[in-house]
Amino acid sequence: MPWAPHRALLSPALWRAASHLAWDVVAGLAALAVLLVLGIGILLLPVALVGLPVVVGAGWALDRLAAAERFRYAATCSLAIPAQPRPALSRSLTRSARALATGRCTWRQLGYCLALVPVSALTGTAVACAWAVPLTLLPLPLYYERLPSRRAALGPLTVDTPGTALLVSAVALLSAVFVAPLVVRALLALDMALARTLLAPPRDLELTERVEQLTASRAQLVAAVEAERRRMERDLHDGAQQRLVAVSMALGRAVSRLRRSGDDATRQIVEQARADAREAITELRDLARGLHPPVLTDRGLAAALSAVAARSPVPVTVDVRAEPRPPAAVEAVAYFVVTEALTNVAKHAGAGRAWVEIRRNDDDRLTVTIGDDGRGGADPAKGSGLSGLAARVAGVDGALRVTSPPGGPTLIEVDLQCG
């Protein structure tokens, strides 16, 4: 019961709710029309598929009606209902009908229309009676004597005296003040519950879409990071590294002149500076290669990993069959996983040889296998470099599996999605 009846009657929300319930009748008639058209189309399907365009049209109208209902709830009830995915309609009637028949949201919208027809009849009738009956009986003392029989029959109650008429008018006033707002609120709650249940997308569908959005955003972030790494590598190669090379060459010319002049003390200082410049060039080249090796961009995984194998202190066999080339981000992850794994082999495994095998499968996945014949016992849970590999692989929605029994051999298997 409202504590302040006059405030409840003057509340804009109450009258918006009443108007919303009154419009339920119109929405129910529209839903009934869509259901009738859909039923006719289904009945005509056996007749050389004559009803197929009717069914597709009814499915489109069903989706548009659901969208209109969501708009109506937002406008009159301030209820924001998330939009459901649109059916994938195309010029092919068969494909469109299949998309409608297999879409979960289509069946939810159909269920809403089926429920809306009786619910709209209930809410429209109830809200009309909640206001019309009290407003009709409230002025009863003024007109009951003017009726043909000079009395009013209200069920078992007969109004033929001013006292009885005033009593009925008072009850009507109390009903208008207390009962009608409660009826409107109860009917609106029923209406909103139906809309929340059937007009909103399923919860698992929302979660699926959210996961897809997060996966796409993560892929974009990984691609952006990889592009930034390539830019930094180019800047280091074309900028600082070239300048250091020029400095080293100038120092070399200075050493030659100092050697001819016989100034050995100055020549030794300049030679030391030249050696330091060469070390800086080597370190800068290694840093740039660690960011993103140019050979990976230019020639792909096979050439880049062959260069890595050539520098490895442990003999490494490389077998790469990854055509067509994977995306740049996936290719970079595969490269760095192999390089870090081979670094771990050289430092910790005590292996006599290692091997790398990369395949691009028919299901658009890239599998990377790194193995060695070392002592084994590698465990990603112990905080070794393998945990960093797992984190790098997870960044592109991949999976890493390590098999390393004591005594070896150790196998690192990585599965990356190329699509």
Side-chain angles (χ1 to χ4, degrees):
M1 288 292 185
W3 289 99
H6 63 287
R7 292 183 180 178
L9 289 175
L10 297 177
S11 171
L14 176 66
W15 297 107
R16 283 199 302 269
S19 65
H20 173 87
L21 295 173
W23 274 98
D24 271 3
V25 178
V26 178
L29 292 175
L32 182 60
V34 172
L35 292 174
L36 289 176
V37 172
L38 181 62
I40 292 172
I42 293 174
L43 291 176
L44 292 177
L45 281 177
V47 186
L49 299 180
V50 175
L52 193 59
V54 180
V55 170
V56 174
W60 178 85
L62 194 67
D63 178 71
R64 293 298 81 207
L65 178 61
E69 284 293 273
R70 284 190 291 270
F71 176 79
R72 184 167 71 99
Y73 277 94
T76 59
C77 306
S78 299
L79 177 63
I81 302 176
Q84 296 178 349
R86 296 285 301 275
L89 302 182
S90 62
R91 294 183 178 180
S92 172
L93 293 176
T94 305
R95 293 179 183 176
S96 299
R98 186 183 298 112
L100 290 171
T102 56
R104 294 175 57 190
C105 293
T106 302
W107 292 100
R108 293 172 67 86
Q109 293 168 358
L110 181 60
Y112 176 78
C113 285
L114 290 172
L116 181 61
V117 173
V119 169
S120 64
L122 170 65
T123 56
T125 304
V127 74
C129 292
W131 293 113
V133 172
L135 292 178
T136 302
L137 297 180
L138 190 60
L140 186 62
L142 302 178
Y143 67 82
Y144 81 94
E145 291 184 344
R146 300 180 183 179
L147 296 175
S149 60
R150 301 182 61 85
R151 67 182 63 189
L154 304 177
L157 178 64
T158 300
V159 179
D160 54 0
T161 63
T164 307
L166 288 173
L167 177 62
V168 171
S169 179
V171 172
L173 178 62
L174 293 176
S175 298
V177 172
F178 291 102
V179 178
L182 293 180
V183 171
V184 170
R185 292 176 184 176
L187 294 175
L188 182 64
L190 172 64
D191 232 22
M192 294 173 68
L194 178 64
R196 286 194 186 99
T197 303
L198 295 177
L199 285 183
R203 180 61 178 167
D204 57 342
L205 183 60
E206 292 183 12
L207 293 176
T208 301
E209 291 180 350
R210 181 60 176 162
V211 169
E212 291 177 353
Q213 292 173 359
L214 292 175
T215 301
S217 63
R218 183 175 64 178
Q220 293 173 357
L221 178 61
V222 171
V225 170
E226 188 57 35
E228 183 65 16
R229 291 165 69 100
R230 290 196 298 270
R231 185 193 64 79
M232 293 173 63
E233 183 275 328
R234 288 194 302 269
D235 291 345
L236 289 175
H237 182 271
D238 299 337
Q241 186 174 335
Q242 295 299 328
R243 291 185 180 182
L244 283 174
V245 170
V247 169
S248 177
M249 294 174 63
L251 291 174
R253 291 194 298 270
V255 168
S256 298
R257 291 186 180 183
L258 289 172
R259 185 177 291 112
R260 289 194 298 270
S261 67
D263 190 351
D264 293 337
T266 304
R267 179 177 58 81
Q268 291 177 1
I269 295 174
V270 175
E271 284 182 344
Q272 182 60 44
R274 185 185 182 190
D276 292 341
R278 288 176 176 175
E279 291 182 4
I281 292 172
T282 301
E283 293 177 358
L284 194 60
R285 185 179 295 115
D286 292 340
L287 176 61
R289 187 183 296 115
L291 288 174
H292 191 91
V295 66
L296 178 62
T297 302
D298 298 337
R299 299 173 58 192
L301 275 172
L305 294 180
S306 296
V308 172
R311 297 192 303 267
S312 174
V314 178
V316 180
T317 302
V318 177
D319 183 11
V320 178
R321 300 177 189 176
E323 295 296 335
R325 287 184 63 174
V330 174
E331 203 172 47
V333 168
Y335 172 82
F336 286 112
V337 165
V338 172
T339 55
E340 292 180 25
L342 292 179
T343 300
N344 290 338
V345 170
K347 289 182 178 180
H348 309 295
R353 68 182 185 91
W355 59 91
V356 176
E357 183 181 283
I358 298 180
R359 296 287 185 271
R360 182 162 184 173
N361 303 324
D362 294 336
D363 57 352
D364 209 22
R365 301 192 73 85
L366 190 73
T367 59
V368 181
T369 304
I370 307 107
D372 67 78
D373 60 354
R375 64 175 64 95
D379 186 3
K382 293 181 178 179
S384 63
L386 293 176
S387 59
L389 294 182
R392 187 184 290 272
V393 169
V396 290
D397 199 22
L400 181 142
R401 182 171 60 257
V402 178
T403 305
S404 183
T410 296
L411 282 179
I412 300 176
E413 298 173 291
V414 177
D415 186 52
L416 302 173
Q417 177 65 48
C418 295

